[in-house]
Amino acid sequence: MKLTPTTPVWAVFATSGWLALAGNAALWKRLSAEGTLSNVQGWLLLVAMVLIVWASLGALLSIFAWRRTFKPVATLLLLIAAFASYFSLAYGVVIDPGMVINAVQTDFHEATALASWPMAFTVLLLGVLPTVLLWAKPVAYAPWPRQLLTNLLFVVGALGMVISAGLASFQPLASVMRNHKEVRYLINPWASLYSAGRVAARPWQRGEGKLQPIGMDSRLRSANSDRPVLLLLVLGETARSANFSLNGYERTTAPQLATEGVVSFRNAWSCGTSTAASVPCMFSHLTREGFDAREGNHEGLLDVIQRAGLAVLWLDNQSGCKGVCDRVPNVNVIKEAAARGCDGAGCLDEVMLDGLDNRIQALDPVRAARGVVLVMHQMGSHGPAYYLRSPAAMKSFLPECTSAALQDCSRQSVVNAYDNSIAYTDHFLAKAIAWLKTREGRADTAMVYVSDHGESLGENNLYLHGLPYSVAPDFQKHVPWVTWTSASFQNRAGMSSSCLTALQDRKISHDHYFHSVLGLLEIETSVYKKELDVYASCRSHPGDISQANPAPDLRRAAMLADAPRL
């Protein structure tokens, strides 16, 4: 059956109407949940917002209302809106620039873990079906002069509607946008387009091609020590402090660490609510506020450590180091074909412990003689497929949610799956400590575990992470920070666990990470700030390493080559 052609005006009107009404279901749901629709004024605001979104999208589509451009552009907007709607409805996330960065940096394993039948149904209903109808319906375009005039008139009329509706609802609209800032990132697909534009513009705004060096004066204060240091930095993933039994959680999710004499800082907070935001920030010498406001990009913690003369190795069981390991030796264990414990869902974190001795032997021998810093980037508790983050033999909390569509599971089963992933992290960290103990005869060993961000597990119908920091719940920002030090490391630093334990409720954050690691390694540099070193007050000889010092004597390298190897 041959369909009757429609005019471009009606095609634009219908497409923008579908996007405004069905494509913004998450926005209308959020306004209802916030109590905005509890009175007549709220309903009038809803009508005004529908008109604003509808008319603004109509103006956009009118610009492209030409034979070769309209349907491809409309298809793109429909599919963007469909995917954004699913994630906002299912997990309560918003499409801000940080979420766009997360989407761009998502690897194959993470993407497949998010796939589910509810997602397929939502995308089919909101995106695919209207797209099929759009392409099936013929559009009769006028000759280009008249089509141009029609498009311009539609744009002017639509923008007039936006202005009129905005002025008529200015006070309640301004109040909603001021008090519920996340709402602006639910306006679909405008939020996706705006956020993608912001992300695309950042390289030019910050001159990302010009990496600014830091710590050019860095050196080891104990360069002549007979024993090298071996520091393991474990970068946790999606671990929230509230679910660690070390921090008072009623479930025993960290039984092995509890027997290792670790110190857990209970009041630690992240720099961001996503890996892409937190990792570059926590490895930076800047505070969270300074990092967000920076005009250019700088080298990070690993660059300073390497410049001081230590060997550095980054092992990644995730989707990458977000740029912080680009200038140091690094290995993605997922890509190693012979990696044990890996399948289509990725690798369990214990795979990073395989062959560590050989990996260290392959590092620069002169640097390794001074000391080694290993960084292990966990898969941790990465969601929504929490059930994949622990082996079958270690699932203490049942039943588990075994679906990526967390909203379809009972909240308790979601928590069970997540807690099993935390218990597996406990097991992994305990095995890492056991490996460090085997090297105590050759090195002073220590481990610091800090998660990049937390997670929402259904509180207030929010799941996963990534909300803007200013509106994100504490569960997405309150993270575990666990420290283990060997007896020889404590003696080296003049530091006691009892002193650290007395400070375990002190409020700290990722702002302290850069400086605390430098302090543990006794690296002298002008970028170090003693006041941001959480361990400084517990070292009997922390020294004042905040002043610039001359570069180390490179002639010492030959002598260090004969020092004890790790």
Side-chain angles (χ1 to χ4, degrees), residues 387-503:
Y387 69 99
L388 296 176
R389 310 307 172 212
S390 59
M394 297 188 62
K395 295 185 182 296
S396 302
F397 308 108
L398 297 171
E400 279 189 323
C401 173
T402 57
S403 170
L406 300 179
Q407 69 279 10
D408 293 340
C409 296
S410 70
R411 184 167 182 273
Q412 188 57 58
S413 67
V414 172
V415 173
N416 288 344
Y418 181 85
D419 284 349
N420 285 331
S421 73
I422 296 296
Y424 177 69
T425 287
D426 169 72
H427 171 74
F428 165 70
L429 294 177
K431 287 196 68 173
I433 291 173
W435 175 78
L436 288 171
K437 289 179 178 178
T438 66
R439 304 190 71 87
E440 287 183 15
R442 290 167 284 177
D444 298 328
T445 58
M447 181 196 77
V448 177
Y449 163 78
V450 184
S451 184
D452 58 353
H453 56 79
E455 187 86 328
S456 287
L457 298 176
E459 300 88 1
N460 299 316
N461 292 318
L462 294 177
Y463 293 92
L464 304 182
H465 53 267
L467 281 177
Y469 199 89
S470 60
V471 299
D474 287 351
F475 289 120
Q476 295 188 24
K477 298 181 288 189
H478 191 191
V479 296
W481 183 318
V482 178
T483 305
W484 174 86
T485 52
S486 65
S488 64
F489 190 94
Q490 291 181 31
N491 182 63
R492 176 195 191 102
M495 183 172 65
S496 69
S497 295
S498 59
C499 177
L500 293 178
T501 300
L503 300 175

Side-chain angles (χ1 to χ4, degrees), residues 269-291:
W269 298 82
S270 69
C271 188
T273 62
S274 68
T275 303
S278 283
V279 172
C281 180
M282 67 188 292
F283 280 79
S284 167
H285 66 296
L286 302 172
T287 63
R288 181 175 67 84
E289 291 79 9
F291 188 80

Side-chain angles (χ1 to χ4, degrees), residues 240-250 253-254 263-268 478-482 504:
R240 62 188 218 170
S241 178
N243 289 60
F244 268 70
S245 54
L246 292 174
N247 298 335
Y249 188 45
E250 63 273 11
T253 54
V263 176
S264 180
F265 292 114
R266 301 170 178 171
N267 198 10
H478 191 191
V479 296
W481 183 318
V482 178
Q504 65 184 0

Side-chain angles (χ1 to χ4, degrees), residues 224-341:
N224 292 316
S225 175
D226 292 334
R227 287 171 57 85
V229 65
L230 173 57
L231 177 61
L232 173 59
L233 302 176
V234 180
L235 177 56
E237 168 64 32
T238 320
R240 62 188 218 170
S241 178
N243 289 60
F244 268 70
S245 54
L246 292 174
N247 298 335
Y249 188 45
E250 63 273 11
R251 282 180 159 180
T252 306
T253 54
Q256 297 185 59
L257 285 177
T259 66
E260 294 290 352
V262 301
V263 176
S264 180
F265 292 114
R266 301 170 178 171
N267 198 10
W269 298 82
S270 69
C271 188
T273 62
S274 68
T275 303
S278 283
V279 172
C281 180
M282 67 188 292
F283 280 79
S284 167
H285 66 296
L286 302 172
T287 63
R288 181 175 67 84
E289 291 79 9
F291 188 80
D292 289 342
R294 72 195 187 282
E295 295 182 356
N297 285 330
H298 303 79
E299 292 179 338
L301 174 63
L302 302 186
D303 298 287
V304 176
I305 294 173
Q306 186 168 253
R307 185 165 288 128
L310 297 178
V312 180
L313 175 62
W314 179 289
L315 299 177
D316 206 290
N317 191 30
Q318 257 281 358
S319 57
C321 66
K322 315 308 176 187
V324 303
C325 70
D326 288 354
R327 295 162 299 281
V328 302
N330 60 85
V331 177
N332 189 315
V333 298
I334 300 175
K335 296 180 180 178
E336 292 186 339
R340 181 181 61 83

Side-chain angles (χ1 to χ4, degrees), residues 1-73:
M1 183 179 65
K2 188 175 181 179
L3 298 177
T4 304
T6 187
T7 65
V9 169
W10 280 107
V12 168
F13 184 82
T15 305
S16 57
W18 177 262
L19 286 168
L21 295 170
N24 278 275
L27 172 60
W28 314 134
K29 180 181 178 181
R30 178 65 64 88
L31 291 176
S32 177
E34 298 291 349
T36 304
L37 308 182
S38 59
N39 51 45
V40 174
Q41 186 181 35
W43 282 98
L44 292 175
L45 172 62
L46 175 63
V47 172
M49 291 188 69
V50 169
L51 291 176
I52 290 172
V53 176
W54 194 334
S56 61
L57 289 171
L60 175 64
L61 285 170
S62 290
I63 297 173
F64 296 96
W66 300 91
R67 189 180 307 277
R68 296 181 181 275
T69 57
F70 174 67
K71 289 186 177 180
V73 170

Side-chain angles (χ1 to χ4, degrees), residues 150-216:
T150 300
N151 291 354
L152 289 175
L153 289 175
F154 197 106
V155 170
V156 172
L159 293 179
M161 177 61 72
V162 171
I163 294 172
S164 299
L167 291 175
S169 60
F170 179 78
Q171 288 187 344
L173 182 62
S175 177
V176 167
M177 295 300 175
R178 182 176 59 253
N179 297 325
H180 307 287
K181 295 181 180 179
E182 72 279 10
V183 166
R184 68 189 69 179
Y185 290 113
L186 287 172
I187 302 175
N188 205 5
W190 281 118
S192 299
L193 297 176
Y194 167 79
S195 297
R198 284 284 304 274
V199 172
R202 283 183 180 178
W204 289 273
Q205 293 173 341
R206 288 178 176 161
E208 292 187 2
K210 300 177 181 178
L211 195 66
Q212 300 178 32
I214 61 170
M216 299 299 290

